[in-house]
């Protein structure tokens, strides 16, 4: 399971190792109203990722992204676009497996590899004493005609391993399998103790990255082998107790998909859940799996007016299934636009409810990822999503209050640096996690500003007279007033604010906060602070600074002299851009992060009369660029736009409408969090992503993070920085609630008044200079 979120198939074949005769129990409930209550929220666990290298693919394009294959003639391997094809007719874990088809010829060679999915910020840390895999063939294959197998703890396969990577000596696969019988699944164990390193370094099974097959005997005959459920593990007990069946299965239909939720005991032997569906009273078919710790599943049927029944079983590592759950039923129906928006918000909200760190309540940086790491900025955005979730009834006000109390308690005991939190913290201890290197072991003022923006929004939402809400407001006020924004001027009276400070390294990172970008909330809150505020003039000397450093900074990251003086004034695609460097001003998150709480209608300066209109212009320029598509990227268009930051097939990229930052990866939050600025254009994009591409792009936390159709890639993760802006900014479009709440804080009008005075002074000074 490459994404660890959910698996589904548009029409998976009925073949499966788990006997459907086990699926005979009836009953179950259909209490759809419980879906948002948190009853089914489960701790996201990382143990699955310590064992599974491959069990299926939810990317339905026909090949598996995390594989490769090539051959030297006259040998041959079937590897379209250099990747192994999927087999949807035979599998152990539904809905598919991998197909290895080869012909070994004298004078030729071939190789094929299955790779571990590496998630951002997460080391593999595999666990087991053996490699296990299931094999199937329609025809008998003699042991001597099977390929060699090599294990590698680097992605280099049979090439020279990069230090400190290593690989094992080739071993005949037949040594561990014997002859492969026809039409019969066989589980194979390859003990690591039977392998030896063929590199100058010791092979580390805990770092396993690739399983490589390559040509052995050149018999000249075509062969086909289906491979499934590849995992590193220990031997399962021969007489293990049968797993308990999942209970309380519920199903809820939406426009084109059905969501499932359930409860279940989770003994250590649980490997996955298998989900079965009967569509329109048809046969029961295995459609996908879910990992332990996640009790939700999304089945994207792809049309409205469909009725379906569902059952599931718990399965252990040896593929032994529990008895079946009860049956749940649901139907899809056409949603109107308002229902679609509620559906979108509710699904994206679940990232911050179901997948939050269980001890701190904070948001994880990405899921799947390192379960220890919680992100300050993403959690601040998540607080905004929590407020929307309570207002929309996705959870009760009482539940949201309890979650806020947990988050606030964590923030109170977490490490702080002159009141600022670090970028990443350990969700169990609150200690700083220096993910970006040894200098990053202190306060992060930008992430802190995102957190404070969320806290102040929540302070105004929880306005009740009860003791708990009063206490929450007081605790938030203390946290807000303890942030020493003034300290981050460089420890003195500097004219710019700095991003980082560390008690060990001081201001050694020395990264000035210069706009136009996502760091605007730092200046807004620093000016607004009643305890450690800065002069409003820093807005013009720092954020909109005109010194050589600021000009060079803007031109450097944008690759353009347009907007290097903060103001732009040019038109692109017939749309005027007041503020922002380069075409379109950069990634669209510049228009989302600062304005989750701050209402851009209320903000203006000497460069633009309205930051709302400027943000609208930047969103429209971004869309116009995608329509023009100067780099001829696949999939771009009027309903597929919104270049912004995400992890892509080649790693993290701050996507933007320019030659350097447009790599063909479309990040869904780009258009979806732009709803306040471009409601019609964003709705068109949403309907395309959901109704046309939902089989690939919709899952239990709503729209996937990103996709790159030119590379046939879909993101295996969700990001905490990308789901909350969808929830909050869609609400700002619908009711303006987050804007109203944040702007109602008593510190904000005074900040705007001081900023207006600074604007008048800066404007006057500029006019005086021209005379």
């Amino acid at each position: 399971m490459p994404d660890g979120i959910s698996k589904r198939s548009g029409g998976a074949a009925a073949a499966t190792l788990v006997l459907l005769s086990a699926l005979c129990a009836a009953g179950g409930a259909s209490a759809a109203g419980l879906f948002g209550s948190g009853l089914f929220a489960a701790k996201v666990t990382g143990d699955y990722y310590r064992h599974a290298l491959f069990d299926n693919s939810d990317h339905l394009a026909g090949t598996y992204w995390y594989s490769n294959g090539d051959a030297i003639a006259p040998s041959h391997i079937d590897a379209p676009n250099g990747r192994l094809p999927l087999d949807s007719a035979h599998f152990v874990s539904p809905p598919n497996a991998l197909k290895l088809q080869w012909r070994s010829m004298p004078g030729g060679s071939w190789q094929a590899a299955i790779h571990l999915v590496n998630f951002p910020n997460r080391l593999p840390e595999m666990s087991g004493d053996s490699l296990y895999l299931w094999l199937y063939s329609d025809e008998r294959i003699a042991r001597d005609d099977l390929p060699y197998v090599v294990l590698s703890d680097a992605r280099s396969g049979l090439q020279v391993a990069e230090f400190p990577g290593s690989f094992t000596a080739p071993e005949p696969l037949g040594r561990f399998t014997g002859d492969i019988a026809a039409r019969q699944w066989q589980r194979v164990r390859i003990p690591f103790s039977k392998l030896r390193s063929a590199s100058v370094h010791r092979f580390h099974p805990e770092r396993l990255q690739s399983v490589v097959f390559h040509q052995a005997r050149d018999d000249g005959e075509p062969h086909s082998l289906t491979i499934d459920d590849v995992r590193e593990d220990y031997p399962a007990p021969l007489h293990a107790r049968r797993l308990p069946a999942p209970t309380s299965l519920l199903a809820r239909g939406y426009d084109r998909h059905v969501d499932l939720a359930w409860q279940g005991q989770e003994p250590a032997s649980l490997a996955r859940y298998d989900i079965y569906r009967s569509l329109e009273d048809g046969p029961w078919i295995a459609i996908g799996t879910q990992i332990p710790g996640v009790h939700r599943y999304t089945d994207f049927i792809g049309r409205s007016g469909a009725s379906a029944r569902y059952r599931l079983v718990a399965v252990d590592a040896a593929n032994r299934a529990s008895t079946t759950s009860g049956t749940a039923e649901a139907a899809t129906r056409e949603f109107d636009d308002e229902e679609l928006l509620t559906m979108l918000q509710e699904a994206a909200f679940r990232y911050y409810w179901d997948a939050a760190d269980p001890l701190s309540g904070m948001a994880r940086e990405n899921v799947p990822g390192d379960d220890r790491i919680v992100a300050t900025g993403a959690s601040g955005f998540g607080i905004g999503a929590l407020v929307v979730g309570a207002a929309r009834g996705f959870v009760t006000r009482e539940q949201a209050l309890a979650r806020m109390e947990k988050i606030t308690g964590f923030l109170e005991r977490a490490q702080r640096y002159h009141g600022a939190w670090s970028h990443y913290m350990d969700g169990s201890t609150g200690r700083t996690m220096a993910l970006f290197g040894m200098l990053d072991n202190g306060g992060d003022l930008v992430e802190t500003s995102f957190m404070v923006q969320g806290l102040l929004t929540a302070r105004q939402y929880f306005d009740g007279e009860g003791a708990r809400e009063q206490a929450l407001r007081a605790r938030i006020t203390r946290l807000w007033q303890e942030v020493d924004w003034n300290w981050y001027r460089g420890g003195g009276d500097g004219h710019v604010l700095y991003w980082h400070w560390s008690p060990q390294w001081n201001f050694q990172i020395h990264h000035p906060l210069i706009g136009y970008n996502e760091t605007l909330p730092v200046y807004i809150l620093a000016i607004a602070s009643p305890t450690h505020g800065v002069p409003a003039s820093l807005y013009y000397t720092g954020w909109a600074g005109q010194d050589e450093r600021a000009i060079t900074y803007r031109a450097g990251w944008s690759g353009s002299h347009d907007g290097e003086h903060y103001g732009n004034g040019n038109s692109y695609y017939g749309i005027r851009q007041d503020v922002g460097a380069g075409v379109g001003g950069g990634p669209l998150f510049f228009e989302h992060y600062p304005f989750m709480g701050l209402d851009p209608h209320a903000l203006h300066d000497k460069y633009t009369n309205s930051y709302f209109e400027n943000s609208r212009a930047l969103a429209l320029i971004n869309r116009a660029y995608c329509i023009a598509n100067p780099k001829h990227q696949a999939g771009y268009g009027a309903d597929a736009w919104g270049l912004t930051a995400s992890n892509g097939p080649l790693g993290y990229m701050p996507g933007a409408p320019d030659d350097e930052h447009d790599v063909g990866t479309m990040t869904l939050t780009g258009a979806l969090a732009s709803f306040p600025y471009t409601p019609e254009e964003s709705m068109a994009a949403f309907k395309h992503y959901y109704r046309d591409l939902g089989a690939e792009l919709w899952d239990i936390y709503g729209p996937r993070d990103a996709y790159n159709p030119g590379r046939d890639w879909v993101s295996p993760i969700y990001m905490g920085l990308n789901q909350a802006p969808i929830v909050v900014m869609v609400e700002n479009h619908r009711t303006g609630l987050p804007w109203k709440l944040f702007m109602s804080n008593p510190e904000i009008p005074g900040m705007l008044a001081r900023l207006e005075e600074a604007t008048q002074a800066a404007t006057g000074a500029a006019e005086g200079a021209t005379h």
Side-chain angles (χ1 to χ4, degrees), residues 412-672:
E412 289 169 335
R413 63 180 181 270
Q415 282 188 297
R416 302 176 77 184
Y417 306 88
H418 289 274
W421 295 278
S422 52
H423 192 142
Y424 298 112
M425 295 177 280
D426 188 311
S428 299
T429 66
R431 296 191 63 81
T432 293
M433 300 189 77
L435 191 67
F436 296 134
M438 67 180 183
L439 299 183
D440 184 39
N441 66 345
D444 185 310
L445 202 60
V446 175
E447 297 292 307
T448 295
S449 75
F450 297 157
M451 172 56 70
V452 172
Q453 184 176 217
L455 288 172
L456 293 181
T457 301
R459 185 177 71 169
Q460 298 306 102
Y461 178 75
F462 291 102
D463 59 355
E465 294 303 315
R468 289 175 62 195
E469 294 200 17
Q470 288 192 54
L472 177 65
R473 293 196 298 273
R475 295 168 71 186
I476 289 174
T477 298
R478 283 194 297 271
L479 290 171
W480 147 237
Q481 293 182 353
E482 288 168 357
V483 181
D484 190 349
W485 309 91
N486 190 64
W487 174 264
Y488 284 80
R489 294 169 70 178
D493 58 356
H495 65 277
V496 65
L497 291 167
Y498 289 92
W499 201 312
H500 307 91
W501 178 80
S502 158
Q504 180 181 2
W505 304 105
N506 208 289
F507 287 99
Q508 191 163 335
I509 292 181
H510 210 65
H511 189 143
L513 297 178
I514 297 169
Y516 179 77
N517 49 44
E518 80 278 20
T519 67
L520 173 62
V522 173
Y523 284 90
I524 295 300
L525 293 167
I527 297 169
S529 172
T531 53
H532 302 287
V534 304
S537 59
L538 260 67
Y539 183 94
Y540 286 100
T541 61
W543 166 254
Q546 299 298 304
D547 60 14
E548 183 178 353
R549 176 173 64 173
I551 295 168
T552 302
Y553 180 92
R554 296 185 188 101
W557 72 256
S558 69
S560 170
H561 292 292
D562 290 1
E564 65 181 2
H565 287 78
Y566 188 81
N568 189 307
N570 295 303
S571 291
Y572 308 99
Y573 303 100
I575 304 164
R576 177 181 168 83
Q577 177 178 319
D578 287 348
V579 168
V583 179
L588 271 178
F589 70 82
F590 290 1
E591 318 315 314
H592 305 152
Y593 297 179
F595 303 119
M596 302 271 279
L598 177 67
D599 186 347
H601 293 91
L603 184 65
H604 66 274
D605 57 25
K606 62 177 289 186
Y607 301 101
T608 181
N609 291 326
S610 169
Y611 273 90
F612 178 86
E613 292 301 328
N614 190 69
S615 292
R616 172 172 165 78
L618 294 178
L620 289 173
I621 291 170
N622 194 298
R623 177 175 180 267
Y625 173 91
C626 292
I627 294 172
N629 196 9
K631 296 185 71 173
H632 307 290
Q633 306 285 15
Y636 284 22
D639 56 0
W641 61 276
L643 300 176
T644 190
S646 65
N647 278 283
L650 302 178
Y652 176 83
M653 171 59 70
D658 59 60
D659 184 72
E660 179 184 357
H661 298 102
D662 172 18
V663 295
T665 297
M666 190 63 64
T667 306
L668 279 68
T669 194
L672 301 183

Side-chain angles (χ1 to χ4, degrees), residues 17-170:
L17 195 65
V18 180
L19 296 178
L20 293 180
S21 60
L23 302 176
C24 58
S30 181
L34 293 177
F35 266 75
S37 70
L39 175 62
F40 296 97
K43 179 182 182 293
V44 177
T45 111
D47 199 51
Y48 164 87
Y49 302 106
R50 301 187 66 197
H51 299 292
L53 187 129
F54 169 85
D55 56 16
N56 49 41
S57 172
D58 67 343
H59 187 32
L60 308 176
T63 60
Y64 185 55
W65 171 264
Y66 303 95
S67 69
N68 69 271
D70 59 77
I72 295 177
S75 294
H76 171 77
I77 183 174
D78 185 16
N81 298 318
R83 292 193 287 273
L84 293 178
L86 297 172
D87 186 347
S88 296
H90 310 93
F91 49 77
V92 171
S93 55
N96 47 46
L98 295 175
K99 193 94 168 183
L100 180 61
Q101 300 175 95
W102 75 92
R103 186 194 295 264
S104 298
M105 301 291 291
S109 66
W110 62 265
Q111 69 90 21
I114 306 169
H115 303 301
L116 181 73
V117 183
N118 284 305
F119 302 111
N121 310 321
R122 182 181 181 84
L123 292 175
E125 296 180 328
M126 302 294 281
S127 177
D129 65 5
S130 304
L131 182 78
Y132 291 87
L133 63 161
W134 289 83
L135 301 177
Y136 173 91
S137 177
D138 284 330
E139 299 179 352
R140 178 183 176 276
I141 304 177
R143 61 181 297 168
D144 291 340
D145 292 332
L146 291 168
Y148 286 119
V149 62
V150 171
L151 306 185
S152 174
D153 56 25
R155 284 296 179 94
S156 50
L158 297 180
Q159 302 172 22
V160 176
E162 296 178 0
F163 179 83
S166 181
F167 49 89
T168 64

